[in-house]
Amino acid sequence: MNKKNRIYLAGPFFNEQQIKRLDEIQDLLEQNETIGDIFRPASAEYTDAKVGSFEWQSAVFKHDINNINVSDVVVAMLDYKIEENDTEPDSGTVWECGYAFANNIPVVAVRNVSDLPLNLMLAGSLTAFFNGSENVKKIKDYDFNQLMTRYEDVKVF
């Protein structure tokens, strides 16, 4: 019997394009028989304090950290500003990857734009990397129970 893994789906969600990319990844993950629950930051609004206040910041930070801690794998969308060919992923997403790695939680990354280099430290923290829009689709068949190391050729800097 396949274990159903809990996924923390990290990635920027600051505009419609970013949300659409995360929706697409979530749809692929939901088709994967080794995936159970998927948590997305910002999916549960904290409404007891004003957005941006210290109380709100602290509550959201703790909530997200707790959800990384109880996840089996972090899946990270590394595309940030595709329209600008920005080589750097969202800083919050990178932080979540580093936190997961430091806590022995595997990190699987996806990125639609395949011709951009990836930071060496981020690349080194990944268990698997689905690089390029056609390769991203393969995540629906990836075995999250085996967590095989998987990389496409990628330039690092």
Side-chain angles (χ1 to χ4, degrees), residues 13-141:
F13 50 86
F14 307 111
N15 63 43
E16 288 182 27
Q17 184 184 42
Q18 293 168 345
I19 292 168
K20 182 176 184 262
R21 287 195 298 265
L22 286 171
D23 289 344
E24 291 167 355
I25 297 304
Q26 183 167 347
D27 288 344
L28 292 168
L29 292 171
E30 287 172 347
Q31 296 174 51
N32 187 308
E33 65 183 29
T34 62
I35 302 297
D37 183 43
I38 300 170
F39 173 80
R40 278 174 68 171
S43 62
E45 292 290 323
Y46 181 76
T47 57
D48 290 346
K50 182 180 176 188
V51 173
S53 68
F54 182 75
E55 178 185 342
W56 176 87
Q57 293 172 41
S58 182
V60 170
F61 180 80
K62 288 175 185 174
H63 185 251
D64 289 355
I65 293 300
N66 288 338
N67 276 285
I68 293 173
N69 290 339
V70 298
S71 292
D72 299 302
V73 179
V74 168
V75 174
M77 166 52 76
L78 300 183
D79 293 316
Y80 185 33
K81 298 178 181 175
I82 289 179
E83 65 279 355
E84 299 173 22
N85 274 343
D86 192 344
T87 61
E88 289 294 317
D90 167 57
S91 58
T93 303
V94 173
W95 188 93
E96 290 162 325
C97 292
Y99 178 87
F101 180 80
N103 286 282
N104 298 310
I105 300 166
V107 179
V108 173
V110 296
R111 182 175 67 182
N112 288 303
V113 179
S114 62
D115 59 339
L116 298 176
L118 188 61
N119 178 280
L120 171 66
M121 298 305 286
L122 181 57
S125 71
L126 304 179
T127 299
F129 184 41
F130 294 83
N131 192 30
S133 57
E134 287 307 309
N135 286 314
V136 166
K137 294 174 187 171
K138 295 176 184 176
I139 200 166
K140 73 179 174 78
D141 298 316

